[in-house]
Amino acid sequence: MKVTRAVAGTAIAAALLLTITPQSAPAAPATTDATTDATAAAQGLRDVAKRTGVRIGTAVDMAAFNADPPYREAIAREFNSVVAENVMKWGEIERERGVLDFTAADQLVDSARANGQQVRGHTLLWHNQNPGWLTDGVASGEIDATELRQILKRHVFEVAGHFRGRIVAWDVVNEVIDDSAQLRDTIFLRLLGPEYIADMFRWAHQADPKAKLYLNDYNVEGVNAKSTAYYELVKQLKADRVPVHGFGIQGHLGVQYPFPNNVLDNVRRFEKLGLDTAFTEVDVRMPMPPDATKIQAQAYAYSALLQACLLAQRCVSFTVWGFTDKYSWVPGVFDGQGAANILDENFAPKPAYDALKTTFTLGGR
Ligand code: 9MR
């Protein structure tokens, strides 16, 4: 794992990487160690994150939330930011055309408020998890371009309007550029043309003027063709005075792949355009079964992404896409892979959890 590339050349990075390497951690007097360990163990990630100004978040699976008290308790203890893994997506909210169901999403927002957590909104537009009536209607030609634009606008006003004032940041458009760095071929691009992206931001801003409005995607951690396409898109949106405020870097990594190049440089170039940044869906999967090497590589990757966030100026939050291996989208999508999260199936901390804690403790602004 070439984790040091992400933050190379900085003393703090070197120090952090050293401290999460058990073999090279300097020995300290036993009493100090014991005290420090006890204090750290009593604290959740949110406690150690606090002094850095970077929020620590998780995606929440509302089925697990309602069925599994330890899951719910861990969310309250460890995180000061949450995002709905699924229940704010269009297909979940408007399963039947014209019938809006905010029950599960409201439950999450209410619980966040009770626990002093911010809420990220995910997502107002995506090419997946859309209502059947929408995709079928477009496919059959029953919904034409004019109607699609009206439907989309109404959707933004209904959903962002419903949560107005309660969502700190919206993923306004999710995954709108593909891996060949072109605007993704979706029903929205086909029928509405590239202008739909600017429209989405303008509508979202009208619907909830205080929410920070983000573009969000995967495979944009480092400097590469896809992240550069976003960089150019943001420049254009800014030049057109479109209200875009943030760039969300999902951070779905795997230990079997090289760690992305120049993560900090990438974050900084978006910040120079005047945007906030956030890591929005971090997980680090591995070929199963786990072993000590993979688990350690995973800890490095989590830590290195968080280091880039802490070393940047305007990286506001670091969100993991689920926190326990008990509930994860990974095994269902990537055959033979899993163990992507920071706690195991029994909610016991893995080295990645400790690495995040150490990184938060030592890093800062
Ligand atoms: O984790 C989500 C999973 O439960 C859903 O089945 C899936 C549907 O495609 O979406 C997953 O979340 C995705 C997120 O919304 C956008 N970025 C990629 C995430 C993982 O697929």
Side-chain angles (χ1 to χ4, degrees), residues 86-118:
N86 287 303
V87 299
M88 282 192 198
K89 293 171 183 172
W90 197 347
E92 299 280 322
I93 282 182
E94 196 177 358
R95 210 169 276 278
E96 196 184 324
R97 187 167 182 178
V99 182
L100 299 172
D101 182 0
F102 291 109
T103 316
D106 281 341
Q107 191 195 0
L108 178 63
V109 172
D110 291 346
S111 145
R113 193 191 180 101
N115 288 315
Q117 294 160 326
Q118 286 188 344

mmCIF file of all heavy atoms in Angstrom, residues 86-118:
data_model
loop_
_atom_site.group_PDB
_atom_site.id
_atom_site.type_symbol
_atom_site.label_atom_id
_atom_site.label_comp_id
_atom_site.label_asym_id
_atom_site.label_seq_id
_atom_site.Cartn_x
_atom_site.Cartn_y
_atom_site.Cartn_z
ATOM 1 N N ASN A 86 -29.975 4.565 2.307
ATOM 2 C CA ASN A 86 -30.949 4.395 1.216
ATOM 3 C C ASN A 86 -32.217 5.248 1.310
ATOM 4 O O ASN A 86 -32.787 5.584 0.282
ATOM 5 C CB ASN A 86 -31.365 2.912 1.126
ATOM 6 C CG ASN A 86 -30.245 2.052 0.547
ATOM 7 O OD1 ASN A 86 -29.765 2.292 -0.557
ATOM 8 N ND2 ASN A 86 -29.798 1.079 1.325
ATOM 9 N N VAL A 87 -32.667 5.568 2.517
ATOM 10 C CA VAL A 87 -34.061 6.026 2.642
ATOM 11 C C VAL A 87 -34.348 7.443 2.148
ATOM 12 O O VAL A 87 -35.505 7.857 2.143
ATOM 13 C CB VAL A 87 -34.596 5.856 4.096
ATOM 14 C CG1 VAL A 87 -34.563 4.386 4.508
ATOM 15 C CG2 VAL A 87 -33.845 6.737 5.086
ATOM 16 N N MET A 88 -33.320 8.175 1.725
ATOM 17 C CA MET A 88 -33.612 9.489 1.113
ATOM 18 C C MET A 88 -33.539 9.436 -0.410
ATOM 19 O O MET A 88 -33.682 10.460 -1.078
ATOM 20 C CB MET A 88 -32.676 10.569 1.647
ATOM 21 C CG MET A 88 -33.068 11.061 3.018
ATOM 22 S SD MET A 88 -32.189 12.563 3.487
ATOM 23 C CE MET A 88 -32.473 12.522 5.260
ATOM 24 N N LYS A 89 -33.307 8.247 -0.943
ATOM 25 C CA LYS A 89 -33.229 8.133 -2.410
ATOM 26 C C LYS A 89 -34.636 8.187 -3.015
ATOM 27 O O LYS A 89 -35.621 7.787 -2.373
ATOM 28 C CB LYS A 89 -32.496 6.842 -2.782
ATOM 29 C CG LYS A 89 -31.013 6.883 -2.381
ATOM 30 C CD LYS A 89 -30.328 5.540 -2.531
ATOM 31 C CE LYS A 89 -28.876 5.601 -2.049
ATOM 32 N NZ LYS A 89 -28.235 4.273 -2.003
ATOM 33 N N TRP A 90 -34.691 8.640 -4.242
ATOM 34 C CA TRP A 90 -35.985 8.912 -4.898
ATOM 35 C C TRP A 90 -36.902 7.680 -4.891
ATOM 36 O O TRP A 90 -38.091 7.747 -4.544
ATOM 37 C CB TRP A 90 -35.731 9.403 -6.329
ATOM 38 C CG TRP A 90 -36.884 10.093 -6.975
ATOM 39 C CD1 TRP A 90 -38.188 10.131 -6.552
ATOM 40 C CD2 TRP A 90 -36.829 10.875 -8.174
ATOM 41 N NE1 TRP A 90 -38.944 10.884 -7.416
ATOM 42 C CE2 TRP A 90 -38.129 11.342 -8.424
ATOM 43 C CE3 TRP A 90 -35.801 11.214 -9.056
ATOM 44 C CZ2 TRP A 90 -38.440 12.143 -9.531
ATOM 45 C CZ3 TRP A 90 -36.106 12.012 -10.150
ATOM 46 C CH2 TRP A 90 -37.415 12.468 -10.389
ATOM 47 N N GLY A 91 -36.336 6.530 -5.237
ATOM 48 C CA GLY A 91 -37.134 5.300 -5.321
ATOM 49 C C GLY A 91 -37.730 4.888 -3.989
ATOM 50 O O GLY A 91 -38.741 4.178 -3.927
ATOM 51 N N GLU A 92 -37.102 5.309 -2.893
ATOM 52 C CA GLU A 92 -37.611 4.979 -1.556
ATOM 53 C C GLU A 92 -38.692 5.964 -1.132
ATOM 54 O O GLU A 92 -39.663 5.596 -0.479
ATOM 55 C CB GLU A 92 -36.471 5.033 -0.527
ATOM 56 C CG GLU A 92 -35.346 4.071 -0.794
ATOM 57 C CD GLU A 92 -35.673 2.657 -0.324
ATOM 58 O OE1 GLU A 92 -36.311 2.514 0.731
ATOM 59 O OE2 GLU A 92 -35.283 1.704 -1.026
ATOM 60 N N ILE A 93 -38.518 7.223 -1.505
ATOM 61 C CA ILE A 93 -39.434 8.264 -1.034
ATOM 62 C C ILE A 93 -40.710 8.321 -1.864
ATOM 63 O O ILE A 93 -41.785 8.587 -1.342
ATOM 64 C CB ILE A 93 -38.688 9.627 -1.016
ATOM 65 C CG1 ILE A 93 -37.788 9.671 0.229
ATOM 66 C CG2 ILE A 93 -39.662 10.804 -1.033
ATOM 67 C CD1 ILE A 93 -37.033 10.963 0.405
ATOM 68 N N GLU A 94 -40.580 8.078 -3.172
ATOM 69 C CA GLU A 94 -41.765 8.203 -4.037
ATOM 70 C C GLU A 94 -41.953 6.932 -4.864
ATOM 71 O O GLU A 94 -41.927 6.945 -6.094
ATOM 72 C CB GLU A 94 -41.627 9.436 -4.958
ATOM 73 C CG GLU A 94 -42.944 9.839 -5.594
ATOM 74 C CD GLU A 94 -42.832 11.110 -6.454
ATOM 75 O OE1 GLU A 94 -41.733 11.701 -6.525
ATOM 76 O OE2 GLU A 94 -43.853 11.485 -7.065
ATOM 77 N N ARG A 95 -42.154 5.836 -4.136
ATOM 78 C CA ARG A 95 -42.350 4.533 -4.771
ATOM 79 C C ARG A 95 -43.531 4.579 -5.744
ATOM 80 O O ARG A 95 -43.496 4.057 -6.834
ATOM 81 C CB ARG A 95 -42.639 3.516 -3.663
ATOM 82 C CG ARG A 95 -42.191 2.116 -3.939
ATOM 83 C CD ARG A 95 -42.294 1.298 -2.645
ATOM 84 N NE ARG A 95 -41.111 1.491 -1.818
ATOM 85 C CZ ARG A 95 -39.963 0.834 -2.010
ATOM 86 N NH1 ARG A 95 -39.864 -0.041 -2.990
ATOM 87 N NH2 ARG A 95 -38.934 1.036 -1.229
ATOM 88 N N GLU A 96 -44.597 5.236 -5.277
ATOM 89 C CA GLU A 96 -45.784 5.405 -6.111
ATOM 90 C C GLU A 96 -45.837 6.866 -6.530
ATOM 91 O O GLU A 96 -45.645 7.756 -5.684
ATOM 92 C CB GLU A 96 -47.018 5.061 -5.258
ATOM 93 C CG GLU A 96 -48.271 4.807 -6.034
ATOM 94 C CD GLU A 96 -49.448 4.568 -5.078
ATOM 95 O OE1 GLU A 96 -49.231 3.952 -3.997
ATOM 96 O OE2 GLU A 96 -50.554 5.046 -5.378
ATOM 97 N N ARG A 97 -46.093 7.115 -7.793
ATOM 98 C CA ARG A 97 -46.049 8.494 -8.286
ATOM 99 C C ARG A 97 -46.998 9.397 -7.505
ATOM 100 O O ARG A 97 -48.187 9.094 -7.358
ATOM 101 C CB ARG A 97 -46.404 8.536 -9.776
ATOM 102 C CG ARG A 97 -46.216 9.910 -10.362
ATOM 103 C CD ARG A 97 -46.263 9.915 -11.867
ATOM 104 N NE ARG A 97 -46.033 11.259 -12.358
ATOM 105 C CZ ARG A 97 -45.966 11.602 -13.635
ATOM 106 N NH1 ARG A 97 -46.103 10.678 -14.569
ATOM 107 N NH2 ARG A 97 -45.755 12.854 -13.983
ATOM 108 N N GLY A 98 -46.454 10.477 -6.979
ATOM 109 C CA GLY A 98 -47.278 11.460 -6.263
ATOM 110 C C GLY A 98 -47.508 11.132 -4.796
ATOM 111 O O GLY A 98 -48.101 11.922 -4.069
ATOM 112 N N VAL A 99 -47.047 9.961 -4.348
ATOM 113 C CA VAL A 99 -47.225 9.593 -2.930
ATOM 114 C C VAL A 99 -45.858 9.612 -2.252
ATOM 115 O O VAL A 99 -45.009 8.756 -2.493
ATOM 116 C CB VAL A 99 -47.863 8.188 -2.782
ATOM 117 C CG1 VAL A 99 -48.080 7.852 -1.308
ATOM 118 C CG2 VAL A 99 -49.165 8.106 -3.567
ATOM 119 N N LEU A 100 -45.650 10.615 -1.407
ATOM 120 C CA LEU A 100 -44.334 10.783 -0.790
ATOM 121 C C LEU A 100 -44.317 10.162 0.604
ATOM 122 O O LEU A 100 -45.213 10.423 1.411
ATOM 123 C CB LEU A 100 -44.000 12.274 -0.700
ATOM 124 C CG LEU A 100 -43.947 12.975 -2.057
ATOM 125 C CD1 LEU A 100 -43.811 14.467 -1.910
ATOM 126 C CD2 LEU A 100 -42.792 12.421 -2.878
ATOM 127 N N ASP A 101 -43.326 9.342 0.849
ATOM 128 C CA ASP A 101 -43.211 8.706 2.159
ATOM 129 C C ASP A 101 -41.857 9.066 2.778
ATOM 130 O O ASP A 101 -40.821 8.538 2.392
ATOM 131 C CB ASP A 101 -43.346 7.188 2.015
ATOM 132 C CG ASP A 101 -43.292 6.491 3.366
ATOM 133 O OD1 ASP A 101 -43.155 7.188 4.402
ATOM 134 O OD2 ASP A 101 -43.375 5.246 3.395
ATOM 135 N N PHE A 102 -41.918 9.963 3.760
ATOM 136 C CA PHE A 102 -40.694 10.418 4.421
ATOM 137 C C PHE A 102 -40.492 9.748 5.784
ATOM 138 O O PHE A 102 -39.662 10.181 6.570
ATOM 139 C CB PHE A 102 -40.746 11.934 4.635
ATOM 140 C CG PHE A 102 -40.664 12.737 3.361
ATOM 141 C CD1 PHE A 102 -41.772 13.422 2.876
ATOM 142 C CD2 PHE A 102 -39.475 12.823 2.657
ATOM 143 C CE1 PHE A 102 -41.697 14.178 1.711
ATOM 144 C CE2 PHE A 102 -39.378 13.569 1.493
ATOM 145 C CZ PHE A 102 -40.489 14.250 1.017
ATOM 146 N N THR A 103 -41.290 8.697 6.071
ATOM 147 C CA THR A 103 -41.289 8.141 7.427
ATOM 148 C C THR A 103 -39.880 7.765 7.909
ATOM 149 O O THR A 103 -39.435 8.228 8.959
ATOM 150 C CB THR A 103 -42.194 6.887 7.495
ATOM 151 O OG1 THR A 103 -43.407 7.170 6.795
ATOM 152 C CG2 THR A 103 -42.493 6.507 8.923
ATOM 153 N N ALA A 104 -39.206 6.920 7.137
ATOM 154 C CA ALA A 104 -37.894 6.425 7.587
ATOM 155 C C ALA A 104 -36.865 7.562 7.609
ATOM 156 O O ALA A 104 -36.045 7.656 8.527
ATOM 157 C CB ALA A 104 -37.419 5.296 6.685
ATOM 158 N N ALA A 105 -36.924 8.427 6.616
ATOM 159 C CA ALA A 105 -35.956 9.529 6.548
ATOM 160 C C ALA A 105 -36.174 10.501 7.713
ATOM 161 O O ALA A 105 -35.211 10.963 8.335
ATOM 162 C CB ALA A 105 -36.080 10.244 5.209
ATOM 163 N N ASP A 106 -37.426 10.774 8.020
ATOM 164 C CA ASP A 106 -37.718 11.662 9.155
ATOM 165 C C ASP A 106 -37.238 11.049 10.469
ATOM 166 O O ASP A 106 -36.749 11.753 11.353
ATOM 167 C CB ASP A 106 -39.229 11.923 9.257
ATOM 168 C CG ASP A 106 -39.693 12.968 8.250
ATOM 169 O OD1 ASP A 106 -38.850 13.737 7.747
ATOM 170 O OD2 ASP A 106 -40.910 13.006 7.979
ATOM 171 N N GLN A 107 -37.389 9.739 10.564
ATOM 172 C CA GLN A 107 -36.942 9.075 11.790
ATOM 173 C C GLN A 107 -35.434 9.279 11.979
ATOM 174 O O GLN A 107 -34.969 9.574 13.088
ATOM 175 C CB GLN A 107 -37.265 7.571 11.701
ATOM 176 C CG GLN A 107 -37.082 6.866 13.026
ATOM 177 C CD GLN A 107 -37.046 5.342 12.884
ATOM 178 O OE1 GLN A 107 -37.169 4.796 11.776
ATOM 179 N NE2 GLN A 107 -36.869 4.669 14.007
ATOM 180 N N LEU A 108 -34.706 9.163 10.899
ATOM 181 C CA LEU A 108 -33.252 9.363 10.981
ATOM 182 C C LEU A 108 -32.919 10.812 11.358
ATOM 183 O O LEU A 108 -32.083 11.067 12.230
ATOM 184 C CB LEU A 108 -32.587 9.002 9.645
ATOM 185 C CG LEU A 108 -31.073 9.215 9.604
ATOM 186 C CD1 LEU A 108 -30.358 8.316 10.608
ATOM 187 C CD2 LEU A 108 -30.514 8.979 8.207
ATOM 188 N N VAL A 109 -33.597 11.750 10.730
ATOM 189 C CA VAL A 109 -33.320 13.166 10.995
ATOM 190 C C VAL A 109 -33.676 13.512 12.448
ATOM 191 O O VAL A 109 -32.924 14.229 13.127
ATOM 192 C CB VAL A 109 -34.080 14.055 9.981
ATOM 193 C CG1 VAL A 109 -33.978 15.528 10.352
ATOM 194 C CG2 VAL A 109 -33.545 13.818 8.566
ATOM 195 N N ASP A 110 -34.782 12.978 12.943
ATOM 196 C CA ASP A 110 -35.182 13.233 14.337
ATOM 197 C C ASP A 110 -34.167 12.633 15.313
ATOM 198 O O ASP A 110 -33.798 13.256 16.315
ATOM 199 C CB ASP A 110 -36.565 12.639 14.622
ATOM 200 C CG ASP A 110 -37.662 13.393 13.875
ATOM 201 O OD1 ASP A 110 -37.384 14.501 13.369
ATOM 202 O OD2 ASP A 110 -38.796 12.863 13.782
ATOM 203 N N SER A 111 -33.736 11.418 15.019
ATOM 204 C CA SER A 111 -32.764 10.766 15.897
ATOM 205 C C SER A 111 -31.440 11.543 15.886
ATOM 206 O O SER A 111 -30.790 11.703 16.926
ATOM 207 C CB SER A 111 -32.560 9.320 15.439
ATOM 208 O OG SER A 111 -31.233 8.922 15.622
ATOM 209 N N ALA A 112 -31.061 12.038 14.726
ATOM 210 C CA ALA A 112 -29.817 12.815 14.628
ATOM 211 C C ALA A 112 -29.910 14.067 15.495
ATOM 212 O O ALA A 112 -28.973 14.418 16.216
ATOM 213 C CB ALA A 112 -29.550 13.183 13.168
ATOM 214 N N ARG A 113 -31.036 14.711 15.426
ATOM 215 C CA ARG A 113 -31.216 15.915 16.220
ATOM 216 C C ARG A 113 -31.090 15.605 17.711
ATOM 217 O O ARG A 113 -30.390 16.306 18.456
ATOM 218 C CB ARG A 113 -32.607 16.511 15.914
ATOM 219 C CG ARG A 113 -32.749 17.894 16.445
ATOM 220 C CD ARG A 113 -34.190 18.384 16.377
ATOM 221 N NE ARG A 113 -34.251 19.733 16.899
ATOM 222 C CZ ARG A 113 -34.314 20.810 16.129
ATOM 223 N NH1 ARG A 113 -34.372 20.690 14.818
ATOM 224 N NH2 ARG A 113 -34.334 22.018 16.671
ATOM 225 N N ALA A 114 -31.721 14.518 18.128
ATOM 226 C CA ALA A 114 -31.672 14.122 19.538
ATOM 227 C C ALA A 114 -30.245 13.791 19.974
ATOM 228 O O ALA A 114 -29.891 13.962 21.141
ATOM 229 C CB ALA A 114 -32.594 12.922 19.771
ATOM 230 N N ASN A 115 -29.434 13.323 19.033
ATOM 231 C CA ASN A 115 -28.064 12.918 19.374
ATOM 232 C C ASN A 115 -27.020 13.971 19.018
ATOM 233 O O ASN A 115 -25.820 13.677 19.038
ATOM 234 C CB ASN A 115 -27.712 11.610 18.655
ATOM 235 C CG ASN A 115 -28.435 10.417 19.250
ATOM 236 O OD1 ASN A 115 -28.489 10.269 20.465
ATOM 237 N ND2 ASN A 115 -29.004 9.592 18.399
ATOM 238 N N GLY A 116 -27.440 15.160 18.675
ATOM 239 C CA GLY A 116 -26.476 16.211 18.339
ATOM 240 C C GLY A 116 -25.666 15.892 17.094
ATOM 241 O O GLY A 116 -24.467 16.177 17.029
ATOM 242 N N GLN A 117 -26.305 15.279 16.112
ATOM 243 C CA GLN A 117 -25.589 14.915 14.876
ATOM 244 C C GLN A 117 -26.096 15.742 13.703
ATOM 245 O O GLN A 117 -27.291 16.015 13.597
ATOM 246 C CB GLN A 117 -25.836 13.422 14.559
ATOM 247 C CG GLN A 117 -25.223 12.489 15.599
ATOM 248 C CD GLN A 117 -25.851 11.100 15.579
ATOM 249 O OE1 GLN A 117 -27.048 10.950 15.307
ATOM 250 N NE2 GLN A 117 -25.058 10.096 15.902
ATOM 251 N N GLN A 118 -25.170 16.109 12.824
ATOM 252 C CA GLN A 118 -25.580 16.736 11.568
ATOM 253 C C GLN A 118 -26.061 15.658 10.603
ATOM 254 O O GLN A 118 -25.711 14.489 10.745
ATOM 255 C CB GLN A 118 -24.397 17.468 10.931
ATOM 256 C CG GLN A 118 -24.051 18.757 11.644
ATOM 257 C CD GLN A 118 -23.003 19.563 10.886
ATOM 258 O OE1 GLN A 118 -22.320 19.055 9.998
ATOM 259 N NE2 GLN A 118 -22.859 20.814 11.271
#
